[in-house]
Amino acid sequence: MHGSLPPVFSMYEIVPMTTGEQQAPSKYGSSPLKKKKLAHEGRPLVMAGMLGCGLVLAAVVAWCYYSASIRKAQLFKTESLDLNKDGFVIRNQAGVVIFTMTFRSGTLDLDTCSKEGSILSCTQSDSGKINFFIQTIRLKDTVMCYRVRWEELQNKHYVEHTMAYNDSHWYGGAETATQHWPIRIQGEEEPRPFITSDVYSNRKAFGGILERYWLSSNATAIKINDSVPFHLGWSEKDRTLRFQARYQDSPFKPAQGQQALPELSYRVCVGSDVTSIHKYMVRRYFPKPIKVPSPEVFKHPVWSTWALYKTSVTQEKLLSYASDITKHGFTCSHLELDDRYTADYGEFDFDPQKFPNASGMFEKLREDGFHVSLWTHPFINYDSINFGVAVEKGLFVREPSGELPALVRWWNGIGGILDFTNPEACEWYASHLQTLKSYYNVTSFKFDAGETSYLPQKFSTLVSISDPSTFTHYYTEMAIPFSERAELRVGYQSQNISCFFRIIDRDSVWGYELGLKSIIPTVLTISILGYQFVLPDMIGGNAYPNRTEGGSDEKSGLPDRELYIRWLELSAFMPAMQFSIPPWAYDNEVVQIAQKFTELHKTLVAPRVLELAGEVLDTGDPIIRPLWWIAIDDEAAYKIDSQFLIGDDLMVAPVLEPGKQERDIYLPAGRWRSYKGEHFDKGPIHLTDYPVDLDEVAYFTWVH
């Protein structure tokens, strides 16, 4: 059959000869001429056969390579993640890239990669041996997580991965001096240690409350592991955050007995929407408070001596302040006696010159219905009588050698800092606070400082700590016995310390750098980091010289009157209110506005906040929420930094600009009723130049 002929012969046509053309056979067989002719004709057939075999072989090899590359492509794909030598991307269900991470410090040698079950691992990079893996974990139908680890096994100085913004909005990280919501990447910043610092004195640093957690509007979240010597940088040009692990030129130290080989490990989780992925991350990775602090602090203002009297506070001034609070018809959760009531820093009793009869003072205040909390800090100055005691007992953080106490400079001088990894130092400090509490019937303490920026650059502690911010965590634990009304200004993995967390001192200015406009972004940020019992610092700011916009009140040293009023109005919608400069320092109208808003706080805000505070114990969900919490598909809601929600159904839009008695307001989809009784049923809606008088805050309730 023709069909059985090899295809290589199909180029030749077989023509039958006619009878007349047949030659008689030679008696010698074929003629030499004919033999020659046959040989000549057979050569193309052999060559064609060889060519055919070559083509078949090439096809087989190509198929093998193709199969191998398909297998390799499958190897470097795990669920919705695609890995290549330079990094990886994660796609959403629609196939759109929502997360991009680039390996900046090295590239993978893909020939050393293999896949076993849900783990994809590689053993070499372009610079030597590594332990690299990505493990896929499907946690529930709507959440997929990827554990990523790059560990150098040979002497490499650092590991760095860069995360692209991918046209989404990012939130989280740290309290900062200039706070924006969402995060704004500005300039080019080399990675620096991601540790707690006092951002009042160092405005470029990361703040006193921070966590290694970021969240994006693309419904992705990233949490850097605790074991990483973590440094953070960024690039405005490339629109990236730079995540770096290193021990060289860094305050991080490898765990005892381990080599200083850097390891960068983290997990990326992807959900169906930003709110649900955040809820998942908080429930899984953040500790929760174990109880709600005193309801009185949520209902009634705290009154602090600091902004009004600074360090010149005396017994007479404190009694006069208390009497004025009552005289002007205000309530008080507690009075906060701030710096400085002791003779020297590091002592735990009253300066007899400034407070000649401290016991009598406390008795009088108690009779008048006042609770009092005292300022405290972790320092003992070298001129204090307790300095020698602490040296002798070995209570201080020490020089790296461990032999001598380390001296540190803080805003009130030079001294030692207590080593809170040392149980003896904790016991000594706590017993002094307890003695004050029981002797004078003090209600609680305001714990100041605690940032790593007050540690020496090189130091040693009784319990070796790899991450300096662990020191911050140890300090926050000192507040636990007093947590009902205690106040901290630092937090690192401290969400379970059930006390109030105060944002750092504000300047008496309007803007985003520690001014009025920074409050909402800062409160939203630390809420996303799991700190819900927030004190938004003192109404009107701290009135520091050269850092105060005075307006017509310039000579008096008071903050501008309008600024003070707008600050007061915003604070009324925060979890707790804190006065220092009193409303009566201005005029009767300001007193009336303050009375109106402290009453509104008590009747409208506090009951709602207390209900939400109870839920925090189980969920960790924010009390103060961004607009996107209830508007997950609304691009406009992701960028709003001057409005917020209390729970899901009370939306607040304070005026934060000087000279304005109107503002633009964004109402997400839904039915809203304004504080004036207006109804807005269609949404989302932009209200342009919505009128808000000087004695008003615009707020709207969701109508179910």
Side-chain angles (χ1 to χ4, degrees), residues 632-649:
I632 51 177
D633 297 320
D634 187 339
E635 176 63 20
Y638 285 110
K639 295 182 279 197
I640 288 173
D641 68 353
S642 63
Q643 297 174 221
F644 58 93
L645 294 160
I646 303 173
D648 284 347
D649 54 5

Side-chain angles (χ1 to χ4, degrees), residues 232-509:
L232 177 69
W234 54 83
S235 169
E236 184 179 3
K237 179 168 57 73
D238 300 334
R239 291 192 56 71
T240 55
L241 286 180
R242 297 171 59 184
F243 299 146
Q244 191 185 86
R246 75 166 194 263
Y247 290 110
Q248 201 170 44
D249 303 321
S250 166
F252 289 92
K253 295 183 283 198
Q256 279 186 313
Q258 285 190 5
Q259 283 183 283
L261 293 172
E263 159 239 326
L264 181 58
S265 57
Y266 48 89
R267 64 188 62 213
V268 180
C269 293
V270 182
S272 54
D273 64 77
V274 63
T275 304
S276 65
I277 193 63
H278 176 67
K279 286 184 173 194
Y280 169 80
M281 297 297 281
V282 167
R283 281 158 182 69
R284 192 163 178 97
Y285 299 117
F286 289 178
K288 314 287 178 300
I290 51 173
K291 61 178 183 175
V292 176
S294 166
E296 295 305 301
V297 185
F298 290 105
K299 291 177 191 169
H300 307 290
V302 176
W303 294 79
S304 166
T305 60
W306 175 246
L308 184 61
Y309 296 120
K310 304 295 193 294
T311 56
S312 68
V313 68
T314 62
Q315 178 175 318
E316 191 184 341
K317 286 176 180 173
L318 182 63
L319 288 169
S320 160
Y321 191 45
S323 141
D324 283 346
I325 292 167
T326 309
K327 190 170 84 190
H328 289 93
F330 288 94
T331 57
C332 171
S333 63
H334 60 262
L335 271 175
E336 206 167 64
L337 176 50
D338 211 297
D339 185 10
R340 141 185 200 175
Y341 57 89
T342 59
D344 291 306
Y345 292 108
E347 286 162 29
F348 297 89
D349 207 349
F350 286 83
D351 178 345
Q353 290 190 306
K354 294 173 86 178
F355 295 85
N357 182 8
S359 297
M361 176 187 79
F362 275 96
E363 207 170 302
K364 169 86 172 87
L365 289 168
R366 204 160 42 252
E367 282 169 13
D368 294 344
F370 287 96
H371 294 275
V372 182
S373 71
L374 298 177
W375 177 72
T376 184
H377 54 83
F379 309 104
I380 300 178
N381 279 11
Y382 69 88
D383 54 359
S384 159
I385 49 168
N386 280 329
F387 187 81
V389 176
V391 169
E392 201 178 309
K393 290 179 179 286
L395 306 182
F396 286 134
V397 171
R398 294 166 173 264
E399 299 282 3
S401 67
E403 287 179 24
L404 294 169
L407 286 180
V408 298
R409 183 184 294 279
W410 64 297
W411 65 91
N412 278 327
I414 294 170
I417 184 166
L418 291 168
D419 178 2
F420 295 103
T421 75
N422 179 350
E424 205 180 322
C426 294
E427 171 56 35
W428 183 85
Y429 182 60
S431 71
H432 277 293
L433 298 184
Q434 286 291 3
T435 302
L436 269 173
K437 188 177 192 304
S438 55
Y439 188 78
Y440 294 108
N441 206 5
V442 168
T443 192
S444 193
F445 295 92
K446 169 185 176 172
F447 291 84
D448 217 349
E451 297 91 347
T452 66
S453 49
Y454 291 110
L455 288 168
Q457 281 205 311
K458 288 191 164 54
F459 65 91
S460 67
T461 45
L462 184 72
V463 175
S464 180
I465 52 178
S466 305
D467 174 357
S469 293
T470 310
F471 184 86
T472 295
H473 178 80
Y474 275 105
Y475 179 57
T476 63
E477 291 182 334
M478 299 309 300
I480 292 173
F482 313 101
S483 62
E484 274 284 286
R485 293 170 187 256
E487 173 188 321
L488 283 160
R489 77 174 200 191
V490 291
Y492 177 62
Q493 299 176 354
S494 308
Q495 295 94 336
N496 59 325
I497 314 289
S498 309
C499 71
F500 289 90
F501 287 86
R502 176 176 68 86
I503 63 177
I504 197 72
D505 302 25
R506 302 288 115 176
D507 285 329
S508 301
V509 297

